[in-house]
Amino acid sequence: MKKKIFSAMRPTGKLHLGHLLGALKNWVSLQEEYQCIFSIADWHALMSEYENSRPLRSYGIDMALDWMACGIDPEKSIIYVQSDVSEHLELQMFLSCLTPLGWLERNPTYKEQLREITSRDLQTYAFLGYPVLQAADILLYKADAVPIGEDQLPHLELCREIARRFNSIYKKEVFNDCRAILTETPRLLGLDNRKMSKSYGNTINLSDSEEQVETQVVSMITDPKRIRKTDPGHPEECNVYSYYLVFATKQAPEAHQWCSKALKGCVDCKKNLSKSINQELKPIRDKRAQLEQNKSRIEDILNEGSKKARVIARQTIEEVRQAIY
Ligand code: TRP
Ligand code: SF4
């Protein structure tokens, strides 16, 4: 039997290059070796977007589109919407009972988000329990491994601690340990050199048109010390060059030369980069356009996915109930 992989993303808007490099490419390649389960974590999204809940459903469908356009294959993997499988909540409840408050209050990600996100009130009962639902996600499918970004490591650690505590209290090895699969991709900064994030409006989205990509790349911040075209630049200090290293590897040495020797201007350098990014995005864009023509098929795929997910989830819930009662 293949080992199981579980991962999820919150549907909070359009996916961007950061998602492609930081997660999706990795997910796509894991599909060959593992039984993969990919969840659209709309309940996790609801925990912060509860006042703006209406678009979550369509964001989720849009995200499924992006996933499939990137190569997530519903023939190989299970793709479903979390809120279509209510067993997540049942397991969350059982796990909540044995999760000490202190574990949740100490969680660094939680503390950081309370500090950083001020546009919404996150001082809620549900948001404190965010990692318990996440643990339920993973444990419901008894995943062996979870591909995640580094920022999610504290959540995975909590998941393992909760699993161990469950097994020890009920004296039954219901849950196995699961490990993280960290994606070793260079962190791409956004167009303005800050972290790439939808909330900063500094992303290149997977669904952007060729023209949009070019305009956005041309707007990127460059080496501030290169003021005139005749000034030599410092590629190592330029975000554009770090994009070359990811999207135009072959041309990177050339770009290094024309920058540090002032052979070409920044606009040319950036226009050239946008061609490579567009080349990378073209197959995704084409696949997306093709999938978009038949949106009802996406809904069918998600329904199928939740049926398959529920078969596994029910089985786990049975075991959990037997261990508890
Ligand atoms: N918290 C994750 C994020 O924000 C999303 C998520 C929810 C998740 N459930 C999960 C990730 C289970 C991995 C496994 O990115
Ligand atoms: Fe950056 Fe390219 Fe300009 Fe050099 S030439 S500063 S790498 S944009």
Side-chain angles (χ1 to χ4, degrees):
M1 254 227 322
K2 282 185 178 174
K3 293 226 175 215
K4 262 181 281 174
I5 291 263
F6 181 92
S7 200
M9 279 186 207
R10 284 168 304 143
T12 48
K14 297 208 151 102
L15 296 189
H16 52 65
L17 289 181
H19 295 113
L20 178 65
L21 295 173
L24 283 170
K25 279 194 166 188
N26 196 25
W27 289 14
V28 169
S29 63
L30 289 167
Q31 292 183 111
E32 309 302 327
E33 218 183 306
Y34 296 89
Q35 159 71 68
C36 293
I37 304 166
F38 298 121
S39 177
I40 295 163
D42 60 339
W43 272 331
H44 280 103
L46 191 62
M47 288 178 179
S48 56
E49 307 306 317
Y50 55 91
E51 287 182 298
N52 186 26
S53 54
R54 304 244 190 270
L56 287 180
R57 194 80 210 171
S58 73
Y59 284 169
I61 290 173
D62 213 53
M63 195 162 80
L65 254 166
D66 274 335
W67 285 2
M68 287 192 264
C70 291
I72 300 294
D73 181 353
E75 302 281 325
K76 293 182 192 148
S77 304
I78 299 177
I79 314 174
Y80 74 100
V81 180
Q82 185 187 33
S83 65
D84 287 342
V85 180
S86 53
E87 281 78 2
H88 285 259
L89 289 187
E90 186 168 353
L91 185 55
Q92 181 202 26
M93 194 277 154
F94 289 132
L95 301 179
S96 299
C97 294
L98 52 85
T99 304
L101 260 186
W103 291 6
L104 300 174
E105 286 164 345
R106 270 199 302 276
N107 172 13
T109 315
Y110 174 69
K111 290 199 279 194
E112 184 187 305
Q113 291 193 313
L114 280 194
R115 245 185 292 120
E116 283 192 1
I117 302 173
T118 48
S119 54
R120 285 147 290 178
D121 183 3
L122 297 181
Q123 305 268 5
T124 60
Y125 163 61
F127 197 68
L128 178 66
Y130 184 108
V132 185
L133 182 59
Q134 183 160 343
D137 292 348
I138 298 166
L139 299 176
L140 198 51
Y141 303 99
K142 301 194 178 180
D144 298 289
V146 185
I148 40 171
E150 228 170 303
D151 61 314
Q152 294 293 312
L153 279 178
H155 287 163
L156 193 70
E157 197 44 47
L158 263 170
C159 168
R160 293 150 57 128
E161 281 170 19
I162 292 171
R164 281 184 221 125
R165 191 160 153 83
F166 183 98
N167 291 346
S168 116
I169 289 176
Y170 300 113
K171 299 190 178 50
K172 209 168 165 202
E173 291 293 307
V174 175
F175 298 121
N176 50 289
D177 243 9
C178 58
R179 64 184 176 92
I181 298 182
L182 282 179
T183 332
E184 280 168 48
T185 36
R187 228 174 219 283
L188 263 200
L189 292 177
L191 301 171
D192 57 359
N193 290 0
R194 290 190 289 172
K195 183 182 164 213
M196 190 183 282
S197 159
K198 181 194 142 212
S199 50
Y200 294 146
N202 63 1
T203 63
I204 295 176
N205 295 333
L206 301 183
S207 55
D208 286 346
S209 69
E210 270 186 43
E211 296 71 33
Q212 279 171 311
V213 170
E214 186 175 308
T215 317
Q216 285 160 326
V217 172
V218 169
S219 80
M220 283 174 78
I221 293 181
T222 56
D223 173 12
K225 287 191 226 123
R226 190 172 189 209
I227 298 156
R228 270 161 284 136
K229 206 168 157 175
T230 48
D231 297 337
H234 308 79
E236 280 79 18
E237 290 164 41
C238 179
N239 193 23
V240 176
Y241 182 67
S242 66
Y243 274 58
Y244 265 91
L245 293 175
V246 177
F247 295 105
T249 340
K250 280 208 200 104
Q251 281 188 312
E254 214 182 316
H256 196 281
Q257 288 273 323
W258 75 49
C259 176
S260 54
K261 295 195 172 143
L263 303 173
K264 251 192 206 194
C266 290
V267 174
D268 278 349
C269 176
K270 293 196 274 193
K271 283 206 168 143
N272 189 58
L273 169 68
S274 74
K275 287 205 192 89
S276 298
I277 297 182
N278 271 325
Q279 233 168 44
E280 174 106 12
L281 289 183
K282 183 160 193 310
I284 299 177
R285 207 177 273 138
D286 291 349
K287 183 93 192 281
R288 199 176 201 287
Q290 183 201 334
L291 290 164
E292 251 173 349
Q293 292 186 342
N294 194 352
K295 281 220 170 171
S296 70
R297 200 174 94 83
I298 309 286
E299 307 236 9
D300 291 344
I301 288 171
L302 293 175
N303 283 335
E304 267 315 296
S306 64
K307 270 190 211 146
K308 289 187 205 153
R310 207 173 301 116
V311 172
I312 310 174
R314 283 248 166 83
Q315 165 88 30
T316 306
I317 291 291
E318 267 321 300
E319 280 177 61
V320 163
R321 282 172 171 259
Q322 269 172 25
I324 297 176
Y325 300 109

